[in-house]
Amino acid sequence: MRTLMFLFACLLTVPAFAQSIPTPEPPYIEVTGSAEMEIVPDEIYIVVTLQERYDGRTKVTMAQQEEKFINGMKALNIPSTDISLSDAISDFGAYKWKKEDALATKQYVVLVHTAEMVSKVYTKLVEIDAENAYISKTSHSKIEQYRKEVKINAMKATHDKASYLLSAIGQQIGKPIVITEINSDVRPMDSYSQYELSNYRSNLSFSTGSVISDIGFQKIKLRYEMYGKFSIL
């Protein structure tokens, strides 16, 4: 009886032990591929500061400043939809309006699309004696479309890389096992502090024409990297 019980226990143990043996992973290759693109910005954001001031004993009010500013932008055919009031500064300006003798300050954001128009806006701001202006950021109207294109190219590069590496040893690429996007969207911070209105006004006094019409705006660089794990046939 004891012999039969021992044999029965062995029969139960063997299948359980066999199930615990891990299945060997099929051969695979791991690679990364990347793609990048540089695009010239077509959205340039200019922050314009208007501030009340005294011309001698006469106060130049905010209403007068805004009227000259809006008319100046209209003269350049900049649509009103491309001009907006900065919310943060407008709140502060409203607060300052409550104080007698306080000089109100407001900031507007003007969207333009070319370096030439930047120059025209700055020249107009000098004419109306705006307090200051600077380029806050640049972008592109089709930035999302370009991001997709770069990601697709990065995926193709990953697959191609795995394929030609395997062909070098006489093997073929199989189905993807894992695909992972490595977030590496590189967009360097544009630095245009040298084109603040104060600097432009100073440079303009030594020239007979525009001084920033030929600005070479830093290109927006998009770069994506993909990780791929592919089976080997």
Side-chain angles (χ1 to χ4, degrees):
M1 178 64 71
R2 288 182 179 180
T3 302
L4 290 175
M5 291 179 65
F6 176 75
L7 291 174
F8 181 70
C10 289
L11 290 174
L12 291 176
T13 303
V14 171
F17 178 74
Q19 291 177 2
S20 66
I21 299 175
T23 303
E25 188 173 6
Y28 62 84
I29 183 174
E30 294 177 287
V31 296
T32 59
S34 63
E36 61 183 48
M37 177 188 296
E38 291 187 347
I39 53 179
V40 177
D42 68 354
E43 293 181 341
I44 306 161
Y45 295 85
I46 305 172
V47 176
V48 179
T49 301
L50 303 177
Q51 184 173 13
E52 289 186 328
R53 66 182 188 277
Y54 280 92
D55 186 2
R57 294 185 178 182
T58 303
K59 185 177 183 179
V60 181
T61 67
M62 179 56 65
Q64 292 172 321
Q65 287 282 298
E66 288 182 298
E67 182 179 6
K68 289 192 295 183
F69 168 68
I70 296 299
N71 289 338
M73 296 303 100
K74 286 182 179 178
L76 296 177
N77 295 319
I78 296 177
S80 58
T81 52
D82 288 345
I83 304 172
S84 60
L85 182 65
S86 173
D87 292 335
I89 200 68
S90 65
D91 292 340
F92 178 67
Y95 167 76
K96 293 190 72 175
W97 267 111
K98 297 177 182 179
K99 294 185 176 182
E100 293 184 16
D101 302 328
L103 298 177
T105 299
K106 285 189 179 181
Q107 281 188 335
Y108 284 86
V109 180
V110 181
L111 170 62
V112 298
H113 305 284
T114 65
E116 180 183 5
M117 185 55 72
V118 173
S119 182
K120 291 180 178 180
V121 169
Y122 271 50
T123 300
K124 184 62 67 174
L125 293 175
V126 170
E127 291 177 5
I128 68 173
D129 201 15
E131 178 66 19
N132 198 15
Y134 63 92
I135 298 171
S136 61
K137 67 176 181 177
T138 60
S139 186
H140 198 283
S141 56
K142 297 181 180 179
I143 191 73
E144 293 304 323
Q145 175 184 328
Y146 290 140
R147 281 198 177 106
K148 291 178 182 178
E149 291 180 14
V150 177
K151 290 180 182 181
I152 290 172
N153 290 335
M155 186 66 257
K156 291 179 178 179
T158 303
H159 185 274
D160 291 346
K161 185 177 181 179
S163 182
Y164 71 69
L165 287 177
L166 288 175
S167 66
I169 57 174
Q171 300 294 320
Q172 290 184 328
I173 186 174
K175 293 182 178 180
I177 300 172
V178 176
I179 296 293
T180 302
E181 176 187 332
I182 302 174
N183 187 14
S184 56
D185 183 10
V186 180
R187 299 186 61 196
M189 178 65 71
D190 292 333
S191 178
Y192 298 117
S193 59
Q194 68 270 37
Y195 299 116
E196 288 189 11
L197 186 62
S198 56
N199 294 328
Y200 179 80
R201 183 182 285 113
S202 176
N203 291 334
L204 189 63
S205 65
F206 293 100
S207 66
T208 57
S210 173
V211 295
I212 58 173
S213 59
D214 295 326
I215 291 178
F217 283 100
Q218 184 176 1
K219 294 180 180 179
I220 300 171
K221 183 178 181 180
L222 300 177
R223 185 178 187 279
Y224 285 98
E225 200 170 355
M226 305 292 288
Y227 160 82
K229 182 177 180 180
F230 301 92
S231 62
I232 301 175
L233 297 179

